[in-house]
Amino acid sequence: MNEFTLTGKPTYLWAAEQVLLQQKRPMRVHDIVAQAQDAGLFSDEMHSRTPQKSMQARLSMEILNNGQTSTFVRTGRGVFFLRKLLTQQDSQNSMVGSLALQPTEKLKLYKAKPRRKPNTTEDVLVIPSDACERILNFQGLKEESGKLLDELLKSGVKHIPRTTAEETEAFKQVITYVLVTYRGKVLCFRRGRFNRAAQFLRGSLCIGFGGHVTQQDFSLFSKDDYGIRENAARELAEEIKIDSSIRADLKDRISFVGVINDNSTSLGRKHLAVVFQYEVQENEWDKWQSVSKHEMSINELRWIDTETETINLVDFEYWSQLSWRTLSPQTIEAQPEYRIFRKKPFQKPHMLALVGGIGSGKSSATKIFVEQFGYAEVNSGRVLADLLSIPPVPHTPRDVFQGQAWDFITRDDGPDRLARALIQAAAATESPYVIIDGVRQQSTLASLRKLADGALALIFVYATPDLALKLYCQREGLEETTYEKEFFQAIGASVESDINHMMNSADAVIYNWSGEADYLNVLSSMVEELGIVRNE
């Protein structure tokens, strides 16, 4: 079962991958669908009146969302292929549409003109990024009385065209983020994909309503905060249907919670969220209980009861995770510490690839597997350093090592060479249980799986960016406020871009929500459930 079938059911993406693997040539969507149907790769739910449109939409969105890490590529208008086969195709038999390639020709990627709503011409409220860097010396959500926001609003804020703001990291665009609550209940939704919301707000579950603060929110009556509170009320009323008797008092009823500063992604570095909370009163609950959406981008709108329902933070986008941790700290204690998807890879001698981002707690988990459970360790960074003929980090500066690693891994033979070197290092340990720490690309993982012939297991260590920063700085003895910029540059390097996607194909996931204090207990429980033999 691959990354596109985690539910155990066939999907359009899975069917497309199987067809392209078998055909080993670029194909048009209607040909992919026909081949998939003939091969019985479609489930009953996938036989729609327009399967070609469904297939086209899913392939296009997969490429749009994942960019250079996408499994699929376009080689022509409406023509798709597998990225990993680009350099492996048999040029004698490869086809682009109905045109045969000459032996000397190479397939070229085709960049489709994106289908999206036209960019708005609105002017948005922005704050200079250097002021944000000076004033907001934290990563994540910080609750406070409003002092930070006041400082920010005195630091040269202005309105500029949104199209201009999207093209630079010189400013942070101000977004409102309103949490709607009633006693122990929180209003939740899933934001649709065809809208102008930032990528990190699309698709996953969300508990924050809002949008960009614009020039239209600024007036004589809202100039003190440049229309931020006015925007919060307006956006909430635009996204969900609110009774008119309540709508009139929205602006006065929302309370300030704090500010979200997220430098973990390029999109985060361009946005700053002002968080508010609207607490529904007892006498208006009947009007809120069955609230419905106003905008098409709001889906699956419902109330979550924190007292009776299990909340899995992984199902929520990052800003909602931050908000949950503030609204309901007890949810952290109730979070799953690990999840097992497949036990079989662990129940015989195997290599264990332990994958996670910088600062996730991966290295600590590796140490426990070695010292407590008898695994021999192979560090992929040191193996790669040998292949590059340079010292590993920290003897080679991280940014230098990352650059050379990326150059190596993007060569045609790079992933296979690294995988073979890791296999050789594992064999040299003469241990039946070997842990490989630090695999960073799906291409390397795919080569490892092939060479291991079924004897490879994968565990992913997940930590939120704010916790990863904290753990990394604790490990290195650094100050978060002085090393934050360098840390996020490191995790944003090209060589790190595959890591989060590898979570989808993990056999088990460790959720590091609060640090490494309970790691031994967590891993002991997981190892016992997996049936791995302990080191006595």
PDB file of all heavy atoms in Angstrom, residues 31-43:
ATOM      1  N   ASP A  31      -6.458   8.318 -21.621  1.00  0.00           N
ATOM      2  CA  ASP A  31      -5.775   7.034 -21.790  1.00  0.00           C
ATOM      3  C   ASP A  31      -5.458   6.401 -20.432  1.00  0.00           C
ATOM      4  O   ASP A  31      -5.560   5.172 -20.265  1.00  0.00           O
ATOM      5  CB  ASP A  31      -4.479   7.223 -22.581  1.00  0.00           C
ATOM      6  CG  ASP A  31      -4.741   7.625 -24.018  1.00  0.00           C
ATOM      7  OD1 ASP A  31      -5.754   7.154 -24.580  1.00  0.00           O
ATOM      8  OD2 ASP A  31      -3.940   8.391 -24.572  1.00  0.00           O
ATOM      9  N   ILE A  32      -5.060   7.236 -19.457  1.00  0.00           N
ATOM     10  CA  ILE A  32      -4.791   6.724 -18.108  1.00  0.00           C
ATOM     11  C   ILE A  32      -6.054   6.110 -17.518  1.00  0.00           C
ATOM     12  O   ILE A  32      -6.039   4.999 -16.957  1.00  0.00           O
ATOM     13  CB  ILE A  32      -4.270   7.849 -17.194  1.00  0.00           C
ATOM     14  CG1 ILE A  32      -2.909   8.358 -17.678  1.00  0.00           C
ATOM     15  CG2 ILE A  32      -4.156   7.367 -15.749  1.00  0.00           C
ATOM     16  CD1 ILE A  32      -2.395   9.569 -16.895  1.00  0.00           C
ATOM     17  N   VAL A  33      -7.175   6.822 -17.648  1.00  0.00           N
ATOM     18  CA  VAL A  33      -8.443   6.331 -17.105  1.00  0.00           C
ATOM     19  C   VAL A  33      -8.852   5.035 -17.786  1.00  0.00           C
ATOM     20  O   VAL A  33      -9.265   4.062 -17.131  1.00  0.00           O
ATOM     21  CB  VAL A  33      -9.545   7.402 -17.262  1.00  0.00           C
ATOM     22  CG1 VAL A  33     -10.919   6.811 -16.929  1.00  0.00           C
ATOM     23  CG2 VAL A  33      -9.253   8.592 -16.364  1.00  0.00           C
ATOM     24  N   ALA A  34      -8.728   4.988 -19.120  1.00  0.00           N
ATOM     25  CA  ALA A  34      -9.119   3.784 -19.850  1.00  0.00           C
ATOM     26  C   ALA A  34      -8.288   2.584 -19.420  1.00  0.00           C
ATOM     27  O   ALA A  34      -8.812   1.481 -19.195  1.00  0.00           O
ATOM     28  CB  ALA A  34      -8.983   4.020 -21.357  1.00  0.00           C
ATOM     29  N   GLN A  35      -6.970   2.786 -19.302  1.00  0.00           N
ATOM     30  CA  GLN A  35      -6.081   1.694 -18.880  1.00  0.00           C
ATOM     31  C   GLN A  35      -6.410   1.251 -17.457  1.00  0.00           C
ATOM     32  O   GLN A  35      -6.409   0.055 -17.153  1.00  0.00           O
ATOM     33  CB  GLN A  35      -4.624   2.163 -18.961  1.00  0.00           C
ATOM     34  CG  GLN A  35      -4.108   2.406 -20.368  1.00  0.00           C
ATOM     35  CD  GLN A  35      -3.606   1.127 -21.017  1.00  0.00           C
ATOM     36  OE1 GLN A  35      -3.560   0.075 -20.388  1.00  0.00           O
ATOM     37  NE2 GLN A  35      -3.247   1.212 -22.281  1.00  0.00           N
ATOM     38  N   ALA A  36      -6.675   2.227 -16.577  1.00  0.00           N
ATOM     39  CA  ALA A  36      -6.986   1.893 -15.186  1.00  0.00           C
ATOM     40  C   ALA A  36      -8.289   1.116 -15.077  1.00  0.00           C
ATOM     41  O   ALA A  36      -8.395   0.153 -14.313  1.00  0.00           O
ATOM     42  CB  ALA A  36      -7.060   3.175 -14.354  1.00  0.00           C
ATOM     43  N   GLN A  37      -9.291   1.519 -15.843  1.00  0.00           N
ATOM     44  CA  GLN A  37     -10.569   0.804 -15.814  1.00  0.00           C
ATOM     45  C   GLN A  37     -10.422  -0.597 -16.372  1.00  0.00           C
ATOM     46  O   GLN A  37     -10.968  -1.558 -15.821  1.00  0.00           O
ATOM     47  CB  GLN A  37     -11.619   1.601 -16.594  1.00  0.00           C
ATOM     48  CG  GLN A  37     -12.057   2.881 -15.889  1.00  0.00           C
ATOM     49  CD  GLN A  37     -13.032   3.700 -16.700  1.00  0.00           C
ATOM     50  OE1 GLN A  37     -12.989   3.699 -17.930  1.00  0.00           O
ATOM     51  NE2 GLN A  37     -13.930   4.414 -16.027  1.00  0.00           N
ATOM     52  N   ASP A  38      -9.676  -0.720 -17.463  1.00  0.00           N
ATOM     53  CA  ASP A  38      -9.463  -2.045 -18.052  1.00  0.00           C
ATOM     54  C   ASP A  38      -8.721  -2.981 -17.108  1.00  0.00           C
ATOM     55  O   ASP A  38      -8.959  -4.195 -17.088  1.00  0.00           O
ATOM     56  CB  ASP A  38      -8.669  -1.921 -19.366  1.00  0.00           C
ATOM     57  CG  ASP A  38      -9.496  -1.301 -20.486  1.00  0.00           C
ATOM     58  OD1 ASP A  38     -10.730  -1.240 -20.329  1.00  0.00           O
ATOM     59  OD2 ASP A  38      -8.906  -0.888 -21.503  1.00  0.00           O
ATOM     60  N   ALA A  39      -7.823  -2.399 -16.300  1.00  0.00           N
ATOM     61  CA  ALA A  39      -7.035  -3.217 -15.374  1.00  0.00           C
ATOM     62  C   ALA A  39      -7.748  -3.447 -14.049  1.00  0.00           C
ATOM     63  O   ALA A  39      -7.195  -4.082 -13.142  1.00  0.00           O
ATOM     64  CB  ALA A  39      -5.682  -2.550 -15.127  1.00  0.00           C
ATOM     65  N   GLY A  40      -8.958  -2.905 -13.899  1.00  0.00           N
ATOM     66  CA  GLY A  40      -9.716  -3.089 -12.663  1.00  0.00           C
ATOM     67  C   GLY A  40      -9.168  -2.306 -11.494  1.00  0.00           C
ATOM     68  O   GLY A  40      -9.328  -2.712 -10.339  1.00  0.00           O
ATOM     69  N   LEU A  41      -8.535  -1.151 -11.772  1.00  0.00           N
ATOM     70  CA  LEU A  41      -7.926  -0.356 -10.713  1.00  0.00           C
ATOM     71  C   LEU A  41      -8.895   0.643 -10.095  1.00  0.00           C
ATOM     72  O   LEU A  41      -8.563   1.301  -9.121  1.00  0.00           O
ATOM     73  CB  LEU A  41      -6.704   0.401 -11.256  1.00  0.00           C
ATOM     74  CG  LEU A  41      -5.568  -0.469 -11.821  1.00  0.00           C
ATOM     75  CD1 LEU A  41      -4.460   0.410 -12.382  1.00  0.00           C
ATOM     76  CD2 LEU A  41      -5.021  -1.403 -10.757  1.00  0.00           C
ATOM     77  N   PHE A  42     -10.086   0.785 -10.687  1.00  0.00           N
ATOM     78  CA  PHE A  42     -11.085   1.703 -10.151  1.00  0.00           C
ATOM     79  C   PHE A  42     -12.002   0.973  -9.184  1.00  0.00           C
ATOM     80  O   PHE A  42     -12.487  -0.120  -9.476  1.00  0.00           O
ATOM     81  CB  PHE A  42     -11.936   2.290 -11.288  1.00  0.00           C
ATOM     82  CG  PHE A  42     -11.365   3.529 -11.912  1.00  0.00           C
ATOM     83  CD1 PHE A  42      -9.995   3.772 -11.897  1.00  0.00           C
ATOM     84  CD2 PHE A  42     -12.188   4.459 -12.520  1.00  0.00           C
ATOM     85  CE1 PHE A  42      -9.469   4.912 -12.484  1.00  0.00           C
ATOM     86  CE2 PHE A  42     -11.677   5.594 -13.106  1.00  0.00           C
ATOM     87  CZ  PHE A  42     -10.306   5.827 -13.085  1.00  0.00           C
ATOM     88  N   SER A  43     -12.257   1.595  -8.025  1.00  0.00           N
ATOM     89  CA  SER A  43     -13.264   1.067  -7.114  1.00  0.00           C
ATOM     90  C   SER A  43     -14.638   1.503  -7.601  1.00  0.00           C
ATOM     91  O   SER A  43     -14.765   2.317  -8.515  1.00  0.00           O
ATOM     92  CB  SER A  43     -13.029   1.598  -5.700  1.00  0.00           C
ATOM     93  OG  SER A  43     -13.241   2.995  -5.660  1.00  0.00           O
TER      94      SER A  43
END
